[in-house]
Amino acid sequence: MVIEHLPPESHTMTALRNDLTPQQLAAQADKGEPEKAPWSQQEQLLAAAVDAVRHMEWTLICLNVDKKSKRPDPPEPMRRPGAGPRKKKAQLTNKSANTLFELLQGGAA
């Protein structure tokens, strides 16, 4: 099929990739076939280099921030095609903190 041989960055391949459901994205990620990936090997390597530079920058900032200051969050890796958006980390709210406190004090009994 002609479409299968289009470059990953082509408009057609991008449109096909954008139409995938989360289940299809997960199945595609599980296959682990880099030669069929939406990005070329060069693009994957460039993304890895960007991630490494961002991490080094973050490390440098953390090393030079005053010990009492809040450290910035670590950088998110570049989102790769075929991967769904990252889930946000759970935040401890007042309600969940109170519930946890009650559980630790034997309130679940």
Side-chain angles (χ1 to χ4, degrees):
M1 189 173 213
V2 174
I3 292 175
E4 291 176 357
H5 299 288
L6 287 172
E9 67 276 4
S10 71
H11 181 74
T12 302
M13 293 303 281
T14 300
L16 290 172
R17 184 173 55 251
N18 289 343
D19 283 340
L20 294 175
T21 65
Q23 293 81 13
Q24 290 170 321
L25 286 172
Q28 193 177 56
D30 289 338
K31 290 180 185 174
E33 298 175 313
E35 67 278 1
K36 295 182 180 177
W39 277 6
S40 69
Q41 184 178 19
Q42 181 180 13
E43 291 163 322
Q44 292 284 358
L45 290 170
L46 182 58
V50 167
D51 289 344
V53 169
R54 286 179 178 170
H55 194 270
M56 285 191 305
E57 179 183 38
W58 173 75
T59 303
L60 184 63
I61 290 169
C62 287
L63 288 172
N64 290 300
V65 168
D66 188 28
K67 289 185 179 184
K68 295 180 182 178
S69 298
K70 183 182 182 297
R71 302 273 190 277
D73 292 334
E76 291 285 329
M78 279 187 75
R79 188 166 164 220
R80 295 345 190 237
R86 293 188 174 273
K87 294 180 182 177
K88 294 196 175 198
K89 293 181 181 178
Q91 298 290 325
L92 186 63
T93 63
N94 285 336
K95 182 180 177 184
S96 60
N98 288 333
T99 302
L100 179 61
F101 179 74
E102 289 174 11
L103 289 172
L104 291 172
Q105 298 300 318

